[in-house]
Amino acid sequence: GDYSPDSYRIIYERDREKRIYKIQEDIEEYLSATQHKSNTINKHLRQLQVFINYLAENNEIPEVNFYKRYKKKTQEKEITPYTTEEAKRIINRAKETDEILYLLLRLFYLTGGRLNEWLNAYFGIDPFNVDLKQKTITFRNKIRRDQSQTIPISDKVEEVLFRLKELEEERGVYKNKVIPYSPKSKSSITRKLSKIEKELGVKQKGRSSHGFRRLLATELFAKEVPIDIIKDIMRHSSIDVTMKAYRKQDQSRMKEQLKKLDR
């Protein structure tokens, strides 16, 4: 409420830079007083930055990236990807018990999309656009909506999306949504996935839906897909991010290549 366009308009008439200073002052006060963990702090900063970008786009304030300036360093989460066999077993078990979960897991595996992204996915409606006519999926940047990334829909992904579209037309709630769950349903889906992992005996520390994303990238590496293509498919900000995220999974291939050296 403190950062409404109306209040900024009053301050703007006096001093444009004062508005920026007030935001900066509030952020620094929050950081000095909070006991939140780094991940929570960064989450709040991202949410604030979205609104700051909105104000800048409407010429209310100059464009300033406070998130980049104040974000906290966080310890990288340990993510244990599934093997291809494990992923297929999990997906097949979901197919027997929960069709929506089954289709969602296939989307994870086929597109590398994140859970939060698919829970906010709509057929042809902003902010997450699944366009079956153009055969494209537009992923939105977490902070800047204008920095969208579009990937083509493959035949297998199209098959999954058409089935979800059929189910969407049959239901009375969550119309136009690709996945008929609230965006707040992440914990519910995580519990369902965890239950299947335990039943199959593949539960490990660091396992989550993100493991399907890592598996996709690992398989792309194994198939020797060019790194710039992998970067675009995974929608990383740079090739360095791609290499950092998946270099750990590539040790066996490195070993095989070193064996080929004629020394």
Side-chain angles (χ1 to χ4, degrees), residues 214-228:
R214 284 286 173 93
L215 175 58
L216 172 62
T218 301
E219 291 185 349
L220 292 172
F221 269 108
K223 293 181 183 297
E224 299 186 352
V225 175
I227 187 66
D228 59 318

Side-chain angles (χ1 to χ4, degrees), residues 33-220:
T34 187
Q35 295 183 358
H36 288 154
K37 294 181 179 180
S38 296
N39 285 330
T40 302
I41 290 173
N42 290 345
K43 178 182 178 181
H44 290 169
L45 289 175
R46 282 197 301 269
Q47 292 170 339
L48 176 61
Q49 189 65 49
V50 169
F51 186 64
I52 290 173
N53 291 342
Y54 164 78
L55 294 174
E57 289 169 3
N58 288 275
N59 299 315
E60 292 288 334
I61 63 173
E63 185 173 327
V64 180
N65 194 331
F66 286 112
Y67 173 72
K68 184 176 181 180
R69 182 183 301 178
Y70 289 107
K71 70 176 180 179
K72 297 292 185 179
K73 289 186 177 180
T74 57
Q75 185 174 0
E76 188 175 342
K77 288 184 179 180
E78 179 184 350
I79 297 175
T80 305
Y82 304 103
T83 65
T84 302
E85 181 184 356
E86 287 172 340
K88 289 180 177 179
R89 290 177 63 200
I90 291 170
I91 292 172
N92 287 334
R93 177 60 65 88
K95 186 177 182 180
E96 299 171 359
T97 59
D98 188 330
E99 184 177 13
I100 295 297
L101 179 61
Y102 159 69
L103 295 170
L104 176 59
L105 295 181
R106 288 202 68 197
L107 288 176
F108 289 153
Y109 191 13
L110 294 169
T111 69
R114 303 173 178 88
L115 175 55
N116 186 59
E117 291 173 330
W118 281 114
L119 288 179
N120 287 280
Y122 288 83
F123 287 111
I125 295 180
D126 203 46
F128 187 120
N129 183 4
V130 174
D131 192 331
L132 293 175
K133 291 183 179 180
Q134 298 295 325
K135 294 188 177 184
T136 58
I137 303 170
T138 300
F139 292 88
R140 297 291 182 182
N141 185 280
K142 291 180 182 179
I143 296 177
R144 295 200 60 114
R145 292 180 59 198
D146 60 311
Q147 294 180 1
S148 60
Q149 295 169 292
T150 300
I151 64 171
I153 293 176
S154 68
D155 291 342
K156 289 184 178 180
V157 173
E158 184 178 33
E159 177 186 319
V160 174
L161 291 172
F162 268 125
R163 178 54 185 157
L164 284 165
K165 184 63 177 175
E166 290 176 353
L167 295 173
E168 182 266 332
E169 292 172 350
E170 295 173 4
R171 64 180 183 254
V173 295
Y174 296 119
K175 298 294 289 184
N176 298 315
K177 287 198 86 219
V178 175
I179 304 298
Y181 288 115
S182 162
K184 298 179 181 180
S185 301
K186 289 192 289 186
S187 59
S188 173
I189 294 172
T190 300
R191 285 194 298 270
K192 289 182 179 181
L193 179 57
S194 180
K195 181 180 178 182
I196 292 177
E197 290 174 345
K198 290 178 181 178
E199 291 173 352
L200 297 177
V202 298
K203 182 69 177 174
Q204 291 186 36
K205 181 181 179 182
R207 283 265 163 93
S208 69
S209 61
H210 207 84
F212 289 95
R213 178 175 167 83
R214 284 286 173 93
L215 175 58
L216 172 62
T218 301
E219 291 185 349
L220 292 172

Side-chain angles (χ1 to χ4, degrees), residues 218-261:
T218 301
E219 291 185 349
L220 292 172
F221 269 108
K223 293 181 183 297
E224 299 186 352
V225 175
I227 187 66
D228 59 318
I229 299 298
I230 298 177
K231 167 192 167 293
D232 290 342
I233 292 173
M234 306 311 295
R235 295 170 288 109
H236 288 147
S237 58
S238 69
I239 288 177
D240 287 342
V241 173
T242 305
M243 293 304 299
K244 180 180 178 182
Y246 302 106
R247 189 177 285 115
K248 293 179 182 178
Q249 315 303 327
D250 206 30
Q251 296 297 313
S252 60
R253 287 184 63 239
M254 291 170 61
K255 186 176 181 180
E256 290 301 317
Q257 294 301 318
L258 288 171
K259 286 182 180 179
K260 296 179 181 179
L261 292 175

